[in-house]
Amino acid sequence: MTFTSVLASIVAGATVVALAGCGGAAAEQAPSEQPTPADRPTVVLVHGAFADSSSWNGVIADLERDGYPVIAAANPLRGLHSDAEYVGSVLDSVSGPVVLAGHSYGGSVMSEAAVGHPNVKALVYIASFILEPGESTSQLAAKFPGAQLGPALKTVPFALPNGGSGQDLYIKQDQFRRVFAADVAPEVTELMAATQRPITEAALSEPATGAAWKSIPSWNMVTTEDLAIPAESMRFMGERAKSQTVEIEASHAVTVSHPEAVADLIGEAARTTAA
Amino acid sequence: MKPTIVLVHGAFAESASWNGVIGRLHTTGHRVIAAANPLRTLSTDAAAVADLLAGIQGPIVLAGHSYGGAVITNAARDNADVKALVYVAGLAPDKGENTPDLLGKYPGATLGEHLYEVPLTDGTADVYVHQNAYHQHFCADLSAEQAASDAVTQRPFNTAALNEGSGEPAWKALPSWFIYPELDLAIPAQTFRFMAERAEARATVEVPGSSHALPASQPEAVADFILQAAAEI
């Protein structure tokens, strides 16, 4: 079977799994359908703004070593509701229990994405936002003093399909390490700065409409040296959500600077909520 | 003024696939931006990259990997600052051609047998490579550890991005450079030769023994090739 025939079939609406079966190839299954150790939920990771899924690389290595199936969701960073709907589709593709972890804005997304997904057993907020319905990400970033991210941002206008225009936000490359990842080696932050995925201004100001943490147990990692979200804001949100909160002396980029601590907290959430 | 180098990643990857290339380009003092390719539809992906390019002062060298090649082909069209197109195992469609047209042109690809889809709420679907097939069929010359993490962090591309035909290709008006892997299981080497010849490439290089994941597996060769293009504009 050629790539083309498979692609054409996808477009025509047939499933790849069925085609592989017809062709006599060994049928592969989506990660969610692969046999996994009975006590291991699938861990779904949601990256934040100014980052991509590679920000989880160290965490992924630790989780896979411990036997967890892992999927890192390609957070579009376009709008809170549309991003949540997108991550919800990723959750729908996983059968069996899920532990959902979000970094930074990724936490805003997962709170809404997990609503109506009973297979999500735990929410793990990493240097993140735990929003009430009606609150926006930028509102909580500014609720307590100390954030220095705002002045380090630059905007790039883009055309919207409806004829209007939006604003993509980037961190200025020469400010990236200081405001986002001060405890990460400069040769790494140079790469993070060049490969950062921008977020729309609209996504940060869009109010939350759902709060899965009200019905799903949550864990909260507060990064005390964070210049993107003041630690005080994370403590406030964690207390409000009755999260199991841990504090770590780290920058906002804690998934890169302290991946083992992040993986440990995810593992604790997985063990605690195992059926 | 040294050109800014803009890198556009492909499907089943993200900008981190360029990390090794970026590290080497930084040592030469070039400003580098890796574009966040949305992988949604060809025209909107090209528009997103074009918006990014519009904010850059001075000359630009634009490089695309895999499907990112189709995106640069359409993103550079109306920007006079783009001086060179570098195709890194990249697709260079002609007007009206879509991705399946090019992938099916010559035999030898196996990646298509190892895909699955995740339906989205808008009626389209995202296409992923099975994690357990990713190493062998996408990046056989990477370490098992790197392949495992790249499989987890792959960005899917949307079925809507597949069938959309290309617009007027920028490679007709701009000089182009092609570097491609010998052992590519996503896009056969013969397809790259065909596209390079058609575009009247300034230079064409085949990298022996390499997989489709050329920016990750051969970052020095890729960076040096991009720098060659940058030096010639």
Side-chain angles (χ1 to χ4, degrees):
Chain A
M1 189 183 311
T2 66
F3 201 175
T4 310
S5 67
V6 171
L7 294 177
S9 305
I10 289 168
V11 173
T15 73
V16 178
V17 172
L19 283 166
C22 294
E28 282 156 354
Q29 296 175 313
S32 54
E33 293 162 346
Q34 291 164 7
T36 56
D39 59 338
R40 295 284 193 273
T42 299
V43 176
V44 177
L45 304 169
V46 186
H47 68 77
F50 318 118
D52 62 14
S53 287
S54 68
S55 59
W56 295 107
N57 276 354
V59 178
I60 293 166
D62 280 3
L63 291 172
E64 290 199 321
R65 191 164 46 238
D66 293 342
Y68 292 97
V70 186
I71 298 171
N75 190 357
L77 307 174
R78 300 293 88 190
L80 180 55
H81 185 66
S82 62
D83 291 345
E85 204 167 74
Y86 183 87
V87 171
S89 297
V90 176
L91 295 175
D92 285 338
S93 76
V94 181
S95 59
V98 167
V99 170
L100 187 54
H103 175 236
S104 191
Y105 168 78
S108 303
V109 173
M110 80 178 184
S111 291
E112 204 165 311
V115 172
H117 289 85
N119 59 330
V120 177
K121 303 302 180 192
L123 300 170
V124 186
Y125 293 89
I126 306 294
S128 188
F129 297 92
I130 315 176
L131 302 180
E132 274 277 3
E135 289 175 344
S136 71
T137 299
S138 50
Q139 204 179 330
L140 265 293
K143 193 175 177 79
F144 296 90
Q148 297 183 26
L149 187 63
L153 299 179
K154 71 164 189 167
T155 58
V156 173
F158 66 89
L160 290 167
N162 62 15
S165 74
Q167 301 282 344
D168 258 336
L169 302 176
Y170 291 81
I171 299 175
K172 292 171 190 159
Q173 289 198 9
D174 61 358
Q175 301 286 308
F176 191 94
R177 183 166 190 270
R178 184 180 68 80
V179 299
F180 197 84
D183 55 355
V184 177
E187 59 269 25
V188 176
T189 58
E190 279 178 17
L191 300 177
M192 293 166 69
T195 60
Q196 61 176 302
R197 287 188 93 85
I199 188 165
T200 66
E201 207 163 34
L204 294 179
S205 56
E206 190 177 330
T209 59
W213 50 264
K214 294 195 176 184
S215 54
I216 300 172
S218 59
W219 280 256
N220 179 31
M221 178 176 277
V222 173
T223 38
T224 61
E225 310 306 303
D226 199 313
L227 298 183
I229 313 171
E232 202 51 47
S233 183
M234 291 183 255
R235 290 184 192 114
F236 164 79
M237 292 184 282
E239 201 167 311
R240 185 173 67 179
K242 301 182 174 63
S243 307
Q244 298 288 320
T245 296
V246 298
E247 299 214 355
I248 184 168
E249 190 178 328
S251 78
H252 190 58
V254 65
T255 62
V256 180
S257 63
H258 295 83
E260 66 298 324
V262 174
D264 283 352
L265 189 64
I266 293 170
E268 187 190 316
R271 286 188 300 277
T272 308
T273 54
Chain B
M1 184 176 187
K2 284 193 173 184
T4 299
I5 297 169
V6 178
L7 307 169
V8 182
H9 68 80
F12 316 127
E14 52 179 12
S15 285
S17 58
W18 294 106
N19 276 353
V21 176
I22 297 167
R24 190 163 176 94
L25 294 175
H26 273 159
T27 65
T28 62
H30 285 86
R31 181 163 182 253
V32 183
I33 301 172
N37 189 356
L39 307 173
R40 302 293 92 190
T41 75
L42 180 54
S43 54
T44 55
D45 292 345
V49 173
D51 288 333
L52 174 68
L53 297 177
I56 297 172
Q57 308 289 320
I60 297 167
V61 172
L62 186 56
H65 174 234
S66 189
Y67 168 77
V71 174
I72 68 170
T73 296
N74 286 275
R77 206 159 38 227
D78 301 317
N79 189 317
D81 287 332
V82 179
K83 305 299 184 190
L85 299 172
V86 185
Y87 291 89
V88 182
L91 293 172
D94 201 347
K95 189 174 181 178
E97 267 179 347
N98 62 23
T99 299
D101 289 339
L102 284 170
L103 295 179
K105 205 164 185 75
Y106 298 97
T110 60
L111 185 68
E113 295 164 38
H114 304 279
L115 306 177
Y116 70 96
E117 57 181 309
V118 171
L120 302 182
T121 51
D122 65 1
T124 65
D126 268 358
V127 183
Y128 292 77
V129 180
H130 285 284
Q131 289 190 8
N132 59 5
Y134 192 92
H135 191 192
Q136 186 185 344
H137 297 276
F138 192 83
C139 57
D141 54 351
L142 295 183
S143 70
E145 292 74 24
Q146 190 176 350
S149 103
D150 288 356
V152 170
T153 60
Q154 63 175 301
R155 286 188 95 85
F157 86 137
N158 193 273
T159 48
L162 288 173
N163 265 2
E164 190 179 344
S166 177
E168 185 66 24
W171 49 257
K172 284 196 177 162
L174 289 171
S176 58
W177 282 256
F178 283 72
I179 185 167
Y180 65 89
E182 178 198 12
L183 303 178
D184 195 315
L185 297 179
I187 305 169
Q190 186 60 30
T191 308
F192 295 121
R193 288 182 208 115
F194 164 79
M195 294 184 293
E197 198 167 317
R198 181 171 71 178
E200 297 172 21
R202 287 278 184 92
T204 303
V205 169
E206 180 173 299
V207 182
S210 182
S211 77
H212 187 60
L214 198 58
S217 67
Q218 299 285 341
E220 294 193 359
V222 171
D224 288 350
F225 193 68
I226 292 171
L227 291 170
Q228 181 191 331
E232 288 180 27
I233 62 173

